[in-house]
Amino acid sequence: MRLTTRLLSSLVQKRPFYVTTPIFYVNAAPHLGHLYTAVVADAIQRFEKLTNPDCKVIFSTGTDEHGTKIQQAAAKANQSPPEYCSTISKEYRDLFKEFHVDYTDFVRTTEERHLKAVKHFWKELRDQDYIYKAKYSGWYSVNDEAFVPETHTREEVTNDGKVRVSIESGHRVEWTEESNYMFRLSAFKTHLKNWLKTDGVVKPVKFHKQLQEMVEDDVYLPDISVSRPASRVHWAIRVPDDEEQSIYVWLDALVNYLTVSGYPDDELVKSRGRPWPADVQVVGKDIMKFHGIYWPAFLMAARRHPPRRLLVHSHWTVNGNKMSKSVGNVVHPRGVPAAHALRYLLLREATVADDANYSETKLINTANAELADTLGNLVSRSIGSALNPRGEFPALRPALLTKCCQLQPTVLLLHQVQVLPEICHKHYTNYQFYKVVDAVIRALHMANLFFETLKPWELKKKPECQKELDVVLHVTLETIRICSIILQPIVPDISKKVLDKLQIPECSRNWTDCEVPSWNMEDAIHETKKIQGGKFVLFPRIYVDKSQKRTSAKTA
């Protein structure tokens, strides 16, 4: 069993593995990008538990519920802000449940525990003299809830005439002058540079370099406003001892990661295993500045460690275009055809470093080709009554396997399955989920070729060839078993369905259980095991009509 340096350290200190998503802004219903962030974090924590079942995992997510945009969205929905926030927050919970996002903590910024944490954190920054009051003026984006440096704005001509927008987000900005509390971000340039010198502290390398360049550029490191007039942003947490000011929503939101750790209650933090600093914080590239500059600077100011790693991912486009409400191409996960295959597509297609493209055609074709045909059909054939009427995971006699190894497809398959766990372990630790799937699908293609070459349907007709048939079934089912264990972080529901069918005990589904295929044990005669009875369809094919509109999902 492999132990990373981080994991070994975690075991020695008996601290949990802590992974986070951002908390999601409730100004609108969740979309494809939000789900992607969540399933990436979920795959990370599932792989951690797979490789180290005894390690306690804390996996936090939640909803960000303060700010001007929330006020506006609630008014548009004819709801009070608390009602509106509860409605959208529940949508996130329901979405994550449907897509098997197995979080341990769901935090809302309107909770009392979070209010307490934010106010305490503010006082820590103030007591360290990193917060001061001053008059502030600049270009402010309501959509981004942030001031934007003038050099990062440009003029655009719209139907309303000339307007100024943020170059980064494209959102409109307005000149604002007000009295605010400021944070001494400029004091942390050297500290941030030193933090970013740590190899692997930001993944992938592409975004690590971008953050390093941002820290070198003083435009990104002026002192920043960390409050807003309460008269303008009343749906927010008030500044301690100053009811006329509301705490900046990003400062409020970022503290959620400490809230989950039990902060500021020392006894609660201790009881949770002192999880901070987080081991992996998963964020989209659009909020990299907030998590890669502001957040570590806030933490350093409060004399706390920055996160051990930021995993920054790119975005999803739709049919080659950026998702946009105005264009009307925002993808809501629960409304797509074959939603049960969407998690697979998200982790199978995206490379983290680069934008990925979603289309319904791609979703349907990928689901049919890989889940229904490559995996599902192989499972059905090897456990079906036509070839396996006894319903068995048959014993393997190595002497007979040697005879089968005279055929090239057998040799290729056995080698591929032998090296598969090591290959996939490397890809998982690099967050290259698509490469994990590539390797598994390659092994399953080889298993299908092996199956076709050995022609078990012909062996079934000859009583004297029953032992040879058992070899074919054993090798195929063993390949399926190993691939299903490896795929658990990607498609936990489908993997569970296969492993349950093969009656693999829960305690035998860890990473160590896939590292040594059964045929590696010389001279062993393995016990024949019964598989679960009853009709079994792993993944129904998805059928579309001639106009490419979904009409039904039929059983294969």
Side-chain angles (χ1 to χ4, degrees), residues 40 61 90 93 141 177 285 300 316 355 382 438 490 498:
V40 166
T61 188
K90 184 178 183 300
R93 286 179 182 268
S141 166
E177 296 183 6
K285 65 180 182 180
M300 291 171 186
W316 278 84
D355 288 349
S382 57
D438 277 343
I490 308 291
V498 175

Side-chain angles (χ1 to χ4, degrees), residues 237-249:
I237 299 174
R238 295 289 187 271
V239 168
D241 304 320
D242 189 346
E243 286 292 313
E244 294 183 357
Q245 291 281 315
S246 295
I247 294 175
Y248 177 37
V249 291

Side-chain angles (χ1 to χ4, degrees), residues 44 137 172 240 455:
I44 291 170
S137 60
R172 188 169 177 170
K455 297 181 173 62

Side-chain angles (χ1 to χ4, degrees), residues 306-502:
R308 292 171 183 266
R309 173 167 293 169
L310 289 182
L311 176 62
V312 183
H313 67 73
S314 295
H315 292 163
W316 278 84
T317 59
V318 180
N319 297 317
N321 299 309
K322 182 179 179 181
M323 275 195 290
S324 166
K325 289 182 188 177
S326 58
V327 175
N329 66 346
V330 175
V331 177
H332 298 287
R334 303 176 81 181
V336 306
H340 53 310
L342 184 57
R343 175 178 172 128
Y344 178 79
L345 181 80
L346 292 176
L347 294 173
R348 200 261 180 279
E349 286 293 314
T351 65
V352 181
D354 301 300
D355 288 349
N357 185 54
Y358 170 83
S359 72
E360 286 192 0
T361 300
K362 181 186 290 184
L363 172 63
I364 292 168
N365 289 345
T366 301
N368 282 341
E370 298 183 356
L371 296 178
D373 294 346
T374 303
L375 176 58
N377 193 42
L378 183 65
V379 175
S380 296
R381 294 171 78 186
S382 57
I383 67 172
S385 58
L387 296 178
N388 196 347
R390 298 174 306 191
E392 292 179 345
F393 194 138
L396 176 68
R397 299 176 185 274
L400 293 174
L401 177 61
T402 302
K403 181 180 178 181
C404 292
C405 284
Q406 295 173 11
L407 299 171
Q408 185 69 3
T410 308
V411 176
L412 292 175
L413 175 60
L414 297 186
H415 174 71
Q416 179 66 15
V417 176
Q418 170 79 26
V419 300
L420 189 62
E422 184 174 358
I423 291 170
C424 292
H425 189 282
K426 178 181 178 182
H427 295 328
Y428 269 127
T429 54
N430 289 323
Y431 314 112
Q432 295 174 315
F433 306 111
Y434 70 101
K435 288 188 176 182
V436 173
V437 179
D438 277 343
V440 169
I441 293 297
R442 190 179 309 117
L444 291 171
H445 281 156
M446 290 181 180
N448 277 284
L449 178 60
F450 162 80
F451 205 80
E452 293 293 325
T453 303
L454 273 292
K455 297 181 173 62
W457 53 89
E458 291 187 3
L459 297 174
K460 180 69 175 64
K461 297 174 184 177
K462 304 172 185 177
E464 69 275 13
C465 293
Q466 181 61 49
K467 291 180 180 178
E468 284 80 357
L469 174 60
D470 285 351
V471 170
V472 176
L473 293 177
H474 179 96
V475 170
T476 304
L477 291 173
E478 179 69 347
T479 300
I480 290 168
R481 180 189 71 83
I482 288 173
C483 289
S484 297
I485 289 174
I486 290 171
L487 284 177
Q488 287 178 101
I490 308 291
V491 278
D493 55 330
I494 292 174
S495 295
K496 183 179 188 306
K497 194 173 179 181
V498 175
L499 295 168
D500 285 351
K501 184 67 178 179
L502 298 182

Side-chain angles (χ1 to χ4, degrees), residues 67-123:
T68 306
K69 285 190 289 183
I70 308 303
Q71 295 171 201
Q72 296 170 345
K76 188 175 181 180
N78 292 317
Q79 291 181 309
S80 68
E83 279 182 297
Y84 175 80
C85 290
S86 293
T87 299
I88 303 298
S89 186
K90 184 178 183 300
E91 287 191 36
Y92 276 96
R93 286 179 182 268
D94 292 344
L95 177 72
F96 294 162
K97 181 178 180 180
E98 182 173 337
F99 287 90
H100 309 283
V101 177
D102 193 20
Y103 58 82
T104 63
D105 291 83
F106 192 99
V107 61
R108 299 177 57 185
T109 56
T110 49
E111 293 177 55
E112 185 61 34
R113 61 171 175 158
H114 181 69
L115 174 67
K116 180 180 177 182
V118 171
K119 291 197 170 188
H120 194 275
F121 192 77
W122 176 279
K123 290 175 180 176

Side-chain angles (χ1 to χ4, degrees), residues 273-317:
R274 302 189 185 280
W276 191 263
D279 293 283
V280 185
Q281 297 207 259
V282 181
V283 301
K285 65 180 182 180
D286 56 322
I287 55 174
M288 179 174 68
K289 175 180 72 176
F290 299 98
H291 284 81
I293 295 180
Y294 293 1
W295 180 224
F298 290 154
L299 288 164
M300 291 171 186
R303 298 188 176 184
R304 296 179 185 279
H305 291 289
R308 292 171 183 266
R309 173 167 293 169
L310 289 182
L311 176 62
V312 183
H313 67 73
S314 295
H315 292 163
W316 278 84
T317 59

